[in-house]
Amino acid sequence: MRPHRWTPPQPTARARQTHSDPPMPPTRLLPLPGQGPEDVVVLADGRLVTGTADGTILRVDPATGAVEQIAHAGGRPLGMHAEADGSLLVCVAGRGIFRLAEAGAELEVVVDELDGAPLTFPSNVIRDDDGTLYFSVSSRRWPLEHWITDLLEHSGTGQLVRRDPDGRLEVLVDGLQFGNGVVLAPDRSCVLVAETGAYRITRHWLTGPRAGTTDHLVENLPGLPDNMLLGSDGLIWVALASPRNLLLDKLAPLPGILRRLVDALPPSLKPAPVRSVWVLALDFDGNIVHDLQRDGADYAMVTSVAEHHGTLYLGSLSESAIAVTSKPAA
C-alpha cells in the first residue's frame, strides 16, 4: 500500500443528515437467489437485469417478482448496459467487458486488455448508437475485493476509456479516484464519470469549444457516488453507496503510516459504509433535482439506481434483493 496524502473538501451540512426532505417514498423488495445485485438495468420490455456475487446474471420481472438465470459471467458482474435488442454489455471483475447477445448465450469478449495489461477492474460501461463504448476503470492497483484499500490509499489510478467501433482504445481521462458510474449526455456533448474516492462527478467534453478538456459537473458530494444511469426523465441518477466517512476524511491528510495501520486491521474493524439508502438526480448543469435518503435498517449500500417512468430500481453490493421505490410527484 502506497498512501497518497490529500485534503478532502469540508463536508457540507447535508453530509451529516440521515434523512432527506421530502423523505424517500417507501420501498418494496424483489428477493433474489443470490447476494449483491451491484448494478440494475432496465430492458426495453420493462424487465430488469442484474448480476450477483457468484457470477450469475439474472432477469427479473418487477411486476411478478419472477427471477430467471440467463447467463453466468465467470466472475463478479459489475456495471451493465442494456441494448434495445435485449443484448447486454457486462463489466466482469477480474476478466474485462463482455457482451451477452441473448439469454443462454455464451459471453463474448469485448475488451480484456488495456495498454497491454489485463483489464481487471472495469466498473461501468455504456454504448452509443454508433457502437462507441465508454467505460470506467476503478483501479489499476487493487482488485474488487480490496476496494476499501484503494479508497484508503487514494491511488488515483482510475480511468475513463473510449472504445471506437473499430476496436481502438483511448484513455480519455487518467488519474481518477476510483472511477465508477458512466453517463453519456443525450446530445453527445460530454461523458460523465463518478469518482467515488473524490466525492465528485467528472465531465469530459466530446464536442464544442471545450472538446477534449475535462472539468467537474459537481464536487463535494455528501456521499460516495457509485453507479450512475440516465433516467427516462432525462436526469442523471446517482447512487450514493454511503455517506461520507469522517474517519477516512480525517486520515487523508495525515502521514500514510496511519492508513497502512488501518488497512492492516481485520475487516470487522476497518471503516465501513454507513447503512443508508440514498440516491440523487442531477441535471446536466449539476443541479440536484431529487435528493432521496432514508435509514438502511432493511436495505443498505445502494450501488445503483435505475429510473424508469417514475419508478426507481435500486441495487446493492451487499443485499439479496432489488429495492423498488418511486421518485416524488412533481
Side-chain angles (χ1 to χ4, degrees):
M1 186 181 181
R2 300 194 293 264
H4 298 266
R5 283 188 178 186
W6 73 294
T7 301
Q10 187 67 26
T12 62
R14 181 67 185 90
R16 296 187 291 272
Q17 297 168 359
T18 58
H19 293 77
S20 60
D21 182 19
M24 175 180 280
T27 60
R28 64 183 176 93
L29 300 182
L30 299 173
L32 301 174
Q35 185 181 30
E38 198 270 347
D39 195 18
V40 179
V41 294
V42 183
L43 298 173
D45 62 8
R47 287 184 293 179
L48 313 175
V49 173
T50 190
T52 51
D54 63 359
T56 303
I57 299 176
L58 302 169
R59 186 164 57 195
V60 183
D61 186 331
T64 65
V67 180
E68 57 180 322
Q69 178 176 337
I70 60 172
H72 195 281
R76 178 69 159 89
L78 296 172
M80 298 181 173
H81 173 78
E83 296 282 8
D85 63 1
S87 63
L88 293 170
L89 292 172
V90 186
C91 294
V92 182
R95 299 192 64 202
I97 299 173
F98 294 79
R99 179 177 182 268
L100 178 66
E102 59 182 1
E106 293 292 324
L107 271 69
E108 310 160 11
V109 176
V110 178
V111 184
D112 60 0
E113 285 190 355
L114 180 60
D115 293 333
L119 182 62
T120 56
F121 202 162
S123 184
N124 207 261
V125 61
I126 54 174
R127 180 184 181 276
D128 199 357
D129 293 341
D130 66 357
T132 301
L133 304 186
Y134 299 91
F135 64 91
S136 60
V137 175
S138 289
S139 174
R140 285 170 289 151
R141 287 268 296 143
W142 301 99
L144 172 64
E145 54 268 28
H146 294 294
W147 63 268
I148 294 179
T149 300
D150 191 271
L151 294 181
L152 278 168
E153 183 179 84
H154 204 64
S155 79
T157 59
Q159 296 174 312
L160 174 66
V161 185
R162 175 169 59 202
R163 180 188 183 273
D164 291 337
D166 62 6
R168 187 174 69 92
L169 297 171
E170 179 185 1
V171 176
L172 299 178
V173 186
D174 209 346
L176 296 175
Q177 297 295 344
F178 206 89
N180 217 316
V182 180
V183 165
L184 179 66
D187 63 1
R188 277 59 178 175
S189 62
C190 64
V191 60
L192 308 175
V193 58
E195 288 191 76
T196 305
Y199 317 133
R200 67 191 179 199
I201 296 172
T202 292
R203 172 174 52 194
H204 182 79
W205 292 97
L206 300 172
T207 63
R210 289 174 284 185
T213 66
T214 301
D215 58 15
H216 304 298
L217 178 72
V218 61
E219 297 185 85
N220 200 14
L221 288 167
L224 280 67
D226 206 293
N227 287 319
M228 306 190 298
L229 277 175
L230 185 66
S232 63
D233 54 8
L235 297 175
I236 307 152
W237 284 88
V238 184
L240 296 183
S242 171
R244 294 269 291 268
N245 186 296
L246 298 183
L247 176 58
L248 285 180
D249 282 357
K250 288 180 179 179
L251 287 172
L254 299 178
I257 184 63
L258 298 175
R259 279 178 283 161
R260 288 195 184 97
L261 292 173
V262 170
D263 189 55
L265 293 171
S268 60
L269 298 178
K270 289 183 181 181
V274 176
R275 289 191 63 87
S276 175
V277 182
W278 201 349
V279 301
L280 301 176
L282 311 172
D283 63 24
F284 279 88
D285 292 320
N287 301 306
I288 296 178
V289 180
H290 298 292
D291 177 352
L292 304 174
Q293 182 191 19
R294 64 171 179 80
D295 68 79
D298 57 357
Y299 201 83
M301 202 174 181
V302 173
T303 50
S304 65
V305 51
E307 186 277 339
H308 187 64
H309 302 313
T311 299
L312 304 180
Y313 300 103
L314 313 181
S316 167
L317 192 65
S318 58
E319 303 291 343
S320 297
I322 295 170
V324 185
T325 185
S326 60
K327 68 178 187 181

